[in-house]
Amino acid sequence: MRTAVVIGAGLIGTSIALSLSAKGVTVYLADREPMAVLTAAALGAGQAGEPPGPVDLAILSVPPGEIAPTLKDAQHRNVARAYTDVASVKSQAFEAIEDAGCDTRTYLGGHPMAGGERSGPLAARADLFEGRVWALVPTASTSDDTWHTVRTLVELCGAVPLVMDPHGHDRAVALVSHTPHLVASLMAARLEHAAENEVSMAGQGVRDVTRIAAGDPDLWLDILSANAGTVADILSELAHDLDEAISALRGLTDEDGTRRGKDAQALTGLLTRGCAGHGRIPHKRDALQGSYVTVSVLIGDQPGELARLFTDVGAAGVNIEDVFIDHAPGQVTGLVEMLVTAEAAERLTRTLRMPSTIMAR
């Protein structure tokens, strides 16, 4: 791939452009908001304006409802030899593409499973897709040349391709992305009018649960609208569990104790199912699930403390699989939780030579 055009200079589009530009691809940027294009170009993502002729690939970084008209317009203008998108919903877009009479031979649907609570080109990163799953959703007539070009895009961005059908893709993202975002928003909404002393007690748990609730409401309205039925189905399943949890909790307040045993068992069952589901979430693709432990270290809130900690970890020959930092407001210390393999945990604790708490994950 030598040339590409990114239509839509938001977080995902600009991140793709940054990644491709870093690999030597000539990237052209387009967006209906001129400032978005100028900002992305200033970041080194590419150059503003139309390409002089057909490029190798056009990446449509627009909301699901805009895929079909954007694709039809780009194909009409012969912008590229192959086309893909990054929308998080596929079934509705595919139907619209067929209804619009687009050339499905030069199109292959895509969806990188990466992003963040911040939006816009200023939040973009060239390494956003490193090691992340990139769903590839072909049409029935996607050509071999289009396949090759889009696979090259995924490889250049450092992502891991996963081929799916439209309906399977939409069910999967409803389960692991769309519904969690809505649930996070519902939980965060409980804090809107909470008392100041209640909010001041917030720790890492509530931050983790509500982090993604900071996403752009208008963008998420587009996403949820395009996958509304599937998200509603999953929410119905969740509502059933919530009703069971509410009933169990009410039973635990029963003063005569006639329901407590049964309701405690029901609540334990829900919590156990939660643990089992959490255990299935991959942390790192090439590591065995269940082989991690967390080494927790208390550090001071001074410049260089994190750097010194990570230097010591490197000296121990330990690779950090993931890291979490909890810093309570107004405190002079922070808690760093490092996820490492079970084999490395004991060696790391000895090397650090400071009080550490090791908790099995």
Side-chain angles (χ1 to χ4, degrees), residues 16-327:
I16 292 173
L18 286 169
S19 184
L20 293 180
S21 294
K23 305 298 193 305
V25 178
T26 299
V27 180
Y28 300 89
L29 302 166
D31 196 293
R32 60 190 175 191
E33 295 291 339
M35 281 305 300
V37 171
L38 293 176
T39 301
L43 293 171
Q47 52 189 288
E50 293 283 330
V55 296
D56 294 322
L57 179 65
I59 300 105
L60 315 181
S61 183
V62 297
E66 297 180 22
I67 294 297
T70 304
L71 177 61
K72 186 174 180 63
D73 175 69
Q75 289 183 337
H76 177 73
R77 294 186 290 114
N78 195 28
V79 169
R81 287 175 281 275
Y83 301 84
T84 188
D85 72 277
V86 297
S88 64
V89 183
K90 289 290 175 276
S91 298
Q92 188 181 89
F94 273 38
E95 292 175 3
I97 285 170
E98 291 184 359
D99 291 343
C102 297
D103 181 3
T104 57
R105 295 170 300 175
T106 60
Y107 168 76
L108 196 162
H111 178 208
M113 293 301 295
E117 61 274 17
R118 295 175 58 214
S119 59
L122 289 175
R125 305 192 335 255
D127 63 349
L128 185 65
F129 312 104
E130 290 286 343
R132 307 302 294 269
V133 169
W134 193 307
L136 296 177
V137 189
T139 70
S141 57
T142 298
S143 70
D144 290 342
D145 287 343
T146 301
W147 261 109
H148 177 73
T149 303
V150 177
R151 282 292 296 265
T152 300
L153 165 69
V154 176
E155 292 168 5
L156 289 174
C157 289
V160 180
L162 176 65
V163 181
M164 307 184 77
D165 67 87
H167 294 290
H169 168 273
D170 290 356
R171 164 72 188 186
V173 294
L175 182 63
V176 303
S177 177
H178 301 167
T179 304
H181 186 95
L182 192 53
V183 171
S185 297
L186 294 173
M187 185 62 234
R190 310 276 71 76
L191 305 176
E192 182 181 13
H193 302 296
E196 191 62 34
N197 63 342
E198 293 175 328
V199 176
S200 66
M201 294 182 67
Q204 194 60 39
V206 73
R207 293 191 189 101
D208 288 344
V209 170
T210 61
R211 178 182 60 82
I212 56 176
D216 180 8
D218 291 334
L219 172 62
W220 273 97
L221 175 61
D222 289 337
I223 293 171
L224 292 169
S225 297
N227 205 19
T230 308
V231 173
D233 290 342
I234 296 174
L235 280 177
S236 294
E237 298 170 5
L238 181 61
H240 179 272
D241 283 346
L242 283 173
D243 286 339
E244 185 178 348
I246 292 169
S247 177
L249 289 168
R250 299 293 187 202
L252 293 178
T253 65
D254 185 9
E255 293 185 359
D256 62 17
T258 56
R259 292 179 49 189
R260 287 185 182 179
K262 179 181 178 181
D263 289 310
Q265 185 177 11
L267 196 57
T268 301
L270 289 172
L271 295 171
T272 301
R273 286 170 53 204
C275 290
H278 179 268
R280 297 198 62 196
I281 300 173
H283 291 286
K284 194 172 182 180
R285 295 185 63 84
D286 59 354
L288 295 175
Q289 293 183 8
S291 62
Y292 297 122
V293 297
T294 297
V295 176
S296 300
V297 181
L298 198 66
I299 64 170
D301 185 23
Q302 296 91 28
E305 286 294 294
L306 268 178
R308 282 191 284 272
L309 173 61
F310 292 152
T311 297
D312 289 342
V313 174
V318 173
N319 183 53
I320 300 175
E321 310 295 341
D322 210 340
V323 63
F324 308 91
I325 302 175
D326 187 7
H327 189 177

